[in-house]
Amino acid sequence: MSAPAPSPASLCCCRKSSSGGGRCLGESAAAAAAAASSSYTTGWRRRPPADVASASNFVDFGLRHFHLDLRVNFALKEMSGWLVLDLLPLVAGARTLVLDAHPSLAVRAVDCESGGAREPACLAFRLEPFASFGSALQIDLPEALEVGTPLRVAVRYAATDGPAMWWLDSELTCGQDRPLVFTQGHSVSNRSFFPCFDSPAVKSTYTAAIRVPDDTTVVMSASRSRYSKAERVFHFSMDAPVPAYLVALVAGNLRHADVGPRSRVWAEPCLLSCAAKKLAGSVERLLTTAEGLFGQYLWGRCDLVFLPPAFPMVAMENPCLTFMAASILESGDFLLIDVVHEMAHAWFGNAVTHASWEEMWLSEGLATYAQRRITTRAYGAAFTCLESAVRLDALHRQLRLLGDNNPVTRLQVKLEPGFCFVSYLSSLCGDVGLFDGFLQDYISRFKFQSVVARDFLDLFLATFPEAAQKEGVDFQRWLTGCGAPPHQPDLSAGAALTRPVREACRAWSGGRANDTREAPALLEVAGWSTFQVVLFLDCMLDRAPLPHEAMSQMRTRYASLLDGPNAEVQVRWLQLVVRSLFYPDLPRLAAFLQKHTSRMYAVPLYEDLSAGAMRGVAADAFRQTRRRLHPDLRRTLQQIMARGQHSADAAPPLQPPDAAVVPLRDVDVSA
């Protein structure tokens, strides 16, 4: 076992980077960040909203800063060391500090300093149940503290296999040569990385010292970094206040390449040249476009790290360092769209954050709107409307499955409806340029703070008082109503791109694919963009199952496209294969599942496979890839297959439509 990380001397933690760290935040942005952090120590503008997802008593304390001093041990799959919190009591007589934690955390000791105490005091603590996703770390303070009395608490602990901790053995990485670990805090997982106030309502600055083995590189969502080679320690500093869920780390065999004056890509060596080539020059151009719309980029660095297929999301907007799945590198336009979307979060979500997960639309809806304003400037309105059409089609598909009265469709918990609402507000003010100016004012007013919907809407109505007088305006319906969004954005600018897609769908669905007079014109897709192809395949999925003859013709006509490297195209075609029981393409399906072990591609295919006559294919693929699946994804796929087997046991057997019968197998759902 490795030696534990040393205890911080007198519980101190340095908040300033040593020389050579290099500033990342601009001076004005850093000053604003410091002011925002300082203002938080005296409490919110008002009492922060309750957060039902947090067990902590964050309303009783102001968090000024925290420091992590951790040692990474790949053999034990453990990060161990100290967390140091600098706090100020906000209520008189506070005797207990409650932090969000997780059963996977091993808390070993808690010390504190308060007031004029000369020596740290050892504190009693206990881990209490809270919810399926976390626990409550209750710490007894040594005395009732006065409001504003500085309090420093140090927690010695170890983080192992909690939901935020993604330990990848060598075979799960892209290079398959060394292990890698990354953390993923969104939305309430970072309480298994370190004890914290795990609520988006709480923001603070932080520093970190991460101790690693030789030949291991660490990157974090931080403003500044430096490496001490003699001690094998990476030092980080985040100079702007951020919520706990945006603290993120990657440690492994990483290299970097600059792709712009304030951006670089990080990846395993086998991925680096591809990632750098795809993004060279693009990030800076898009950043400059975004700044022209929404004001100064506040985070200094705009780096990206590409992670192995086990990364559970497409991308995550960690400040200064966006996490992205390597699978997206071969997905054409989707790569740039995801880069732009995470970039938009630098303003909407990171600089100004939703105070409650119930109002996540304040981050996602505004970021999606901002993303589409950026792409309109960079690539044109037609491109943006095409991308919007793809996403909105998916929204309506989901709404049809859920039903109009399902509470999950409320704006607070859905993302694309958030864009529809923001688009509606833009239409109310009558000028998209004026609305861009309003969003700049919103960022300027609330940067480095957390807000609720009332903050946003009050500022909107103060800026555009005439909007409230317009007929039919009903914000409450938007915020609490179920079903489809009351307003749909105008996508007519994309008609030239979406019309041929819709016509091709109708031609295939209506049996006109063999009409020699019109088929070549209707069905030609060689010049289509990725989003046009995806929209086409999504439309065909809505019409599945397709006749075997139509699938054969489509496979022949679009062979070069369907055999290409674009995973977004491939996964949709393979879903069509499964839903239409098109057995000739089973080898391609098996090969895809062997290559792509990421959640975003595996889950939809396993759901389709397990729901029909191809359950045996899912079982075979699972058996062949289970060692390369992350344990979290492995459990998810086991659950999907178990549900499918249960449904199969209760239903009459299905037979494929042709002679190529594949025998069904019982699904092995053992761990």
Side-chain angles (χ1 to χ4, degrees):
M1 294 178 65
S2 62
S7 172
S10 300
L11 300 181
C12 72
C13 59
C14 176
R15 300 209 208 142
K16 295 182 179 179
S17 295
S18 303
S19 60
R23 287 203 66 80
C24 179
L25 290 176
E27 294 296 333
S28 59
S37 180
S38 175
S39 69
Y40 185 79
T41 63
T42 59
W44 244 52
R45 301 178 306 281
R46 56 186 176 280
R47 186 175 179 83
D51 188 339
V52 296
S54 175
S56 69
N57 60 344
F58 66 85
V59 296
D60 296 339
F61 294 89
L63 176 60
R64 298 193 298 171
H65 182 85
F66 70 88
H67 178 75
L68 292 167
D69 190 324
L70 299 174
R71 183 180 299 276
V72 178
N73 188 319
F74 284 106
L76 297 177
K77 295 185 178 178
E78 177 185 88
M79 290 188 201
S80 59
W82 290 88
L83 161 74
V84 181
L85 301 161
D86 282 347
L87 303 159
L88 285 178
L90 301 178
V91 297
R95 294 300 304 266
T96 304
L97 171 66
V98 184
L99 300 175
D100 288 302
H102 192 271
S104 63
L105 287 182
V107 180
R108 292 163 179 161
V110 180
D111 298 341
C112 90
E113 288 179 354
S114 63
R118 295 185 178 181
E119 296 294 331
C122 295
L123 303 183
F125 64 90
R126 58 201 172 276
L127 207 61
E128 299 286 352
F130 170 63
S132 60
F133 51 84
S135 306
L137 176 59
Q138 300 195 8
I139 301 169
D140 296 332
L141 300 177
E143 58 185 349
L145 299 173
E146 297 297 323
V147 173
T149 302
L151 172 68
R152 178 168 287 177
V153 174
V155 181
R156 186 162 66 90
Y157 77 101
T160 53
D161 60 349
M165 313 298 297
W166 292 73
W167 298 94
L168 306 186
D169 294 330
S170 298
E171 58 265 29
L172 294 180
T173 66
C174 295
Q176 299 189 358
D177 54 353
R178 296 187 212 165
L180 180 145
V181 63
F182 65 86
T183 64
Q184 172 55 45
H186 190 282
S187 53
V188 292
S189 293
N190 258 2
R191 61 193 68 189
S192 67
F193 177 19
F194 57 94
C196 56
F197 292 141
D198 200 359
S199 170
V202 181
K203 290 186 168 186
S204 77
T205 57
Y206 78 87
T207 49
I210 310 298
R211 306 164 192 275
V212 293
D214 287 331
D215 299 322
T216 299
T217 298
V218 184
V219 290
M220 285 192 79
S221 54
S223 311
R224 296 180 282 179
S225 66
R226 65 179 179 87
Y227 176 55
S228 173
K229 187 174 182 179
E231 300 173 316
R232 300 200 308 274
V233 180
F234 287 83
H235 297 272
F236 300 93
S237 174
M238 170 50 82
D239 300 331
V242 295
Y245 79 91
L246 290 179
V247 178
L249 171 155
V250 186
N253 182 18
L254 300 174
R255 300 290 185 270
H256 75 268
D258 290 339
V259 293
R262 44 183 168 170
S263 55
R264 61 179 43 156
V265 293
W266 291 88
E268 293 178 69
C270 60
L271 291 174
L272 184 60
S273 61
C274 175
K277 182 179 179 180
K278 299 266 186 192
L279 293 175
S282 298
V283 179
E284 182 61 28
R285 181 165 66 94
L286 293 167
L287 266 179
T288 302
T289 302
E291 287 181 315
L293 289 164
F294 308 117
Q296 179 189 6
Y297 179 75
L298 299 170
W299 303 95
R301 299 295 307 177
C302 185
D303 297 341
L304 304 97
V305 58
F306 286 90
L307 297 170
F311 183 56
M313 310 171 78
V314 177
M316 178 61 203
E317 67 273 12
N318 300 308
C320 304
L321 183 68
T322 292
F323 285 20
M324 302 199 77
S327 309
I328 205 71
L329 283 170
E330 298 296 341
S331 295
D333 297 336
F334 278 78
L335 171 62
L336 282 177
I337 285 294
D338 289 325
V339 168
V340 175
H341 182 80
E342 306 312 319
M343 184 183 292
H345 273 300
W347 288 265
F348 306 99
N350 296 0
V352 183
T353 307
H354 52 280
S356 164
W357 290 110
E358 294 180 336
E359 294 185 331
M360 192 165 61
W361 71 269
L362 285 165
S363 295
E364 289 295 343
L366 283 164
T368 302
Y369 179 87
Q371 162 211 313
R372 289 170 181 160
R373 290 291 297 127
I374 296 168
T375 58
T376 297
R377 285 271 182 98
Y379 305 116
F383 173 87
T384 298
C385 288
L386 170 64
E387 181 268 333
S388 301
V390 171
R391 309 294 193 184
L392 289 171
D393 269 14
L395 167 67
H396 289 294
R397 195 173 299 113
Q398 187 177 32
L399 290 174
R400 288 195 298 271
L401 291 173
L402 293 170
D404 287 342
N405 296 320
N406 194 311
V408 174
T409 65
R410 288 176 180 161
L411 176 60
Q412 284 95 330
V413 293
K414 295 301 294 179
L415 311 185
E416 202 64 39
F419 161 73
C420 292
F421 183 42
V422 178
S423 177
Y424 170 66
L425 295 177
S426 176
S427 70
L428 287 180
C429 74
D431 185 314
V432 69
L434 290 177
F435 194 70
D436 291 341
F438 159 73
L439 291 178
Q440 283 199 37
D441 292 343
Y442 169 72
I443 295 296
S444 179
R445 174 79 62 91
F446 295 114
K447 63 186 173 186
F448 303 122
Q449 299 179 50
S450 298
V451 300
V452 295
R454 180 68 179 270
D455 297 316
F456 177 78
L457 292 176
D458 281 353
L459 183 62
F460 175 80
L461 291 174
T463 307
F464 305 107
E466 68 281 359
Q469 309 304 318
K470 293 190 176 181
E471 184 178 355
V473 172
D474 184 356
F475 291 163
Q476 197 63 27
R477 181 185 174 196
W478 275 98
L479 294 173
T480 62
C482 298
H487 167 84
Q488 296 292 317
D490 180 7
L491 304 181
S492 58
L497 297 177
T498 58
R499 187 182 301 111
V501 176
R502 309 289 189 192
E503 290 175 349
C505 286
R506 285 192 291 269
W508 281 104
S509 302
R512 291 185 289 150
N514 291 324
D515 189 330
T516 56
R517 294 168 300 176
E518 60 178 339
L522 281 177
L523 307 180
E524 180 57 52
V525 302
W528 283 8
S529 69
T530 297
F531 278 111
Q532 285 176 296
V533 175
V534 164
L535 182 61
F536 168 71
L537 291 174
D538 282 345
C539 290
M540 299 312 296
L541 278 168
D542 286 341
R543 293 159 170 78
L546 301 183
H548 187 276
E549 181 183 7
M551 291 292 292
S552 296
Q553 292 172 348
M554 200 177 296
R555 188 71 185 79
T556 301
R557 181 178 286 273
Y558 304 141
S560 60
L561 178 68
L562 300 176
D563 290 337
N566 193 316
E568 294 292 334
V569 171
Q570 287 187 51
V571 71
R572 286 167 170 82
W573 167 251
L574 293 173
Q575 284 184 275
L576 199 55
V577 165
V578 175
R579 295 184 191 182
S580 302
L581 298 178
F582 186 62
Y583 282 84
D585 256 15
L586 278 188
R588 290 182 177 87
L589 173 61
F592 184 88
L593 289 173
Q594 285 279 342
K595 177 182 178 181
H596 294 281
T597 54
S598 60
R599 173 176 291 270
M600 62 182 174
Y601 298 131
V603 167
L605 284 172
Y606 271 81
E607 285 179 337
D608 281 352
L609 285 166
S610 299
M614 291 187 174
R615 283 182 294 276
V617 178
D620 286 345
F622 183 78
R623 277 191 286 268
Q624 294 169 21
T625 61
R626 63 179 298 162
R627 287 183 58 81
R628 294 189 294 111
L629 298 174
H630 188 273
D632 183 74
L633 176 58
R634 192 186 306 150
R635 286 190 294 270
T636 298
L637 299 183
Q638 287 171 329
Q639 292 166 0
I640 290 171
M641 290 187 294
R643 288 196 302 268
Q645 188 64 45
H646 177 76
S647 299
D649 292 341
L654 295 174
Q655 291 296 325
D658 47 32
V661 177
V662 176
L664 300 183
R665 300 171 175 85
D666 291 335
V667 178
D668 176 12
V669 294
S670 59

